[in-house]
Amino acid sequence: GHLARLVDGIDVASAGELKIALDAGADPHEISFAGPGKHDHELRQAVAAGILVNVESFREIAPLAAAAAELGLPARVAVRVNPDFELKSSGMKMGGGPKQFGVDAEEVPRLLAEIGKAGLAFEGFHLFAGSQNLKAESIIEAQQKCFALACKLAADAPSPVRFLNLGGGFGIPYFPGEMPLDLAPIGANLRDIVGQCSSALPEAEIVIELGRYLVGEAGVYVCRVVDRKVSRG
């Protein structure tokens, strides 16, 4: 409820999270639903609520089209892309190689054709290469590569790209010796990308996800010690 008033949008990963976001007053037009393994009933709820679904597999197309036809509402979609590169030094790699996240970049043109044939309301792309990164240069490189890939894939899109989610990856220091992320060079790089976007993808709005960065240091994790043992010294 607090964050919904401060941020430009909310990302959810289940129908339960969608309900929480809606109940908190988040604007449905600014809610996106990502994650592999979405149930058909969750996709139907997403269409009913009017939120944006980040499609992560070919399987999601049919239930989205069926829900749109039944409800008489557009199924707003973006394609989550599994790029052919990784976010270096990230705590969790979410792109590159075989991954459960997104559709392999080389398969995206075929998926875009299926989305067009199904009559889904295509809006753009979602590219999230990895999370928990404290190296600004790694995030910058990933953002540049993601933008270039989106521009390439846009040639096969059924309609102009209006939403370009470059993911997040912004880490926070968890352990002794870790330094906070330097945002200045990342901001400068994003400014450059926005400038390029105005000509390459003139209708696109660039989005970044900052979940962990926004809330990870906002509290403390409280637990109770129930055992203490020595292992190999």
Side-chain angles (χ1 to χ4, degrees):
H2 176 66
L3 281 173
R5 301 191 303 270
L6 301 174
V7 298
D8 296 312
I10 297 286
D11 180 64
V12 302
S14 69
E17 289 185 5
L18 170 58
K19 184 178 186 303
I20 290 170
L22 292 171
D23 288 348
D27 180 355
H29 192 76
E30 304 299 338
I31 297 176
S32 59
F33 183 2
K38 302 181 190 75
H39 293 282
D40 288 1
H41 69 86
E42 292 181 305
L43 293 171
R44 189 179 187 280
Q45 286 174 271
V47 174
I51 70 167
L52 180 70
V53 175
N54 292 318
V55 173
E56 308 233 6
S57 79
F58 283 79
R59 188 204 68 81
E60 295 180 8
I61 294 176
L64 283 167
E70 180 188 348
L71 298 169
L73 295 169
R76 299 176 55 219
V77 300
V79 172
R80 183 166 181 176
V81 182
N82 174 23
D84 52 3
F85 55 83
E86 296 181 336
L87 174 54
K88 298 173 182 175
S89 305
S90 63
M92 180 180 183
K93 292 179 170 57
M94 301 166 76
K99 290 288 186 291
Q100 68 270 44
F101 302 108
V103 175
D104 296 344
E106 59 272 22
E107 290 289 325
V108 168
R110 187 163 68 90
L111 179 70
L112 290 168
E114 293 290 323
I115 285 172
K117 280 193 284 186
L120 306 185
F122 171 81
E123 295 192 11
F125 296 109
H126 178 205
L127 301 101
F128 201 147
S131 67
Q132 181 49 24
N133 199 299
L134 293 172
K135 295 185 180 297
E137 62 272 19
S138 295
I139 293 175
I140 288 170
E141 180 183 357
Q143 288 175 342
Q144 291 172 345
K145 287 182 174 179
C146 286
F147 177 70
L149 179 56
C151 290
K152 177 182 175 183
L153 294 173
D156 293 301
S159 56
V161 174
R162 293 192 283 121
F163 170 89
L164 178 54
N165 186 335
L166 296 179
F170 293 39
I172 58 175
Y174 282 100
F175 304 105
E178 290 186 336
M179 299 299 293
L181 181 63
D182 183 3
L183 291 182
I186 298 173
N189 177 64
L190 282 171
R191 192 180 306 117
D192 289 343
I193 289 176
V194 168
Q196 297 172 50
C197 193
S198 62
S199 56
L201 302 171
E203 297 185 38
E205 176 186 28
I206 291 180
V207 173
I208 52 174
E209 296 180 22
L210 297 172
R212 182 201 310 265
Y213 189 81
L214 292 180
V215 304
E217 294 182 282
V220 294
Y221 181 53
V222 180
C223 59
R224 183 183 304 278
V225 177
V226 296
D227 197 358
R228 186 164 177 247
K229 65 180 185 179
V230 177
S231 174
R232 296 172 186 154

